[in-house]
């Protein structure tokens, strides 16, 4: 199913066409409008005309159903996002051994 023109928005950073979906956790996620065969997100419109999405790489995820289309999350294709710093050889990563801070007793 294709989104209607009023459902298609524009990314504020790169101005590409995106579609806002709602994940199973209730979070909003932007996906590219054009479906792709190797997309990692399955999208569909529910009975309330809300676009829903689910991750196909999650543990126990089922393959896409007949009513779902495969899309790519926009965060993977947005040209305006800053690249993540790659690993720099010779610099050790910072490890936090104490994951829980000790609290001082109240007086």
């Amino acid at each position: 199913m294709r989104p209607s023109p009023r459902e298609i928005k524009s990314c504020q950073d790169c101005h590409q066409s995106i579609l806002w979906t709602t994940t199973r956790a209730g979070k909003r996620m932007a996906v590219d409008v054009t479906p792709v065969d190797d997309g990692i997100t399955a999208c569909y419109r529910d009975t309330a005309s809300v676009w829903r999405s689910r991750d196909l790489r999650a543990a126990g995820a089922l393959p896409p159903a007949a009513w779902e289309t495969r899309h790519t999350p926009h965060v993977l294709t947005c040209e305006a996002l800053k690249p993540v710093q790659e690993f720099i050889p010779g610099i050790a990563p910072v490890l936090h051994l104490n994951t829980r801070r000790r609290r001082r007793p109240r007086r």
Side-chain angles (χ1 to χ4, degrees):
M1 178 172 273
R2 303 283 292 167
S4 67
R6 67 177 179 83
E7 294 172 325
I8 298 173
K9 305 296 181 196
S10 178
C11 175
Q12 293 179 354
D13 297 324
C14 67
H15 306 292
Q16 289 181 346
S17 297
I18 59 172
L19 173 68
W20 284 103
T21 64
T22 305
T23 64
R24 288 187 176 178
K27 304 287 184 181
R28 290 178 42 138
M29 183 175 72
V31 297
D32 292 339
V33 174
T34 308
V36 290
D37 292 334
D38 60 345
I40 60 173
T41 304
C43 299
Y44 63 96
R45 191 185 320 209
D46 65 5
T47 55
S49 295
V50 175
W51 281 94
R52 303 284 181 178
S53 61
R54 64 182 182 91
D55 189 1
L56 294 173
R57 300 172 301 159
L62 298 173
W67 60 85
E68 294 177 319
T69 54
R70 296 177 76 138
H71 293 265
T72 304
H74 184 64
V75 69
L76 297 179
T77 60
C78 186
E79 298 167 356
L81 292 177
K82 296 178 183 175
V84 178
Q85 182 178 358
E86 296 181 13
F87 175 73
I88 301 173
I91 299 178
V94 177
L95 298 176
H96 297 283
L97 300 177
N98 186 4
T99 58
R100 192 175 234 185
R101 285 183 146 180
R102 296 174 95 186
R103 295 185 181 191
R104 293 183 178 179
R106 293 186 180 183
R107 294 185 180 178

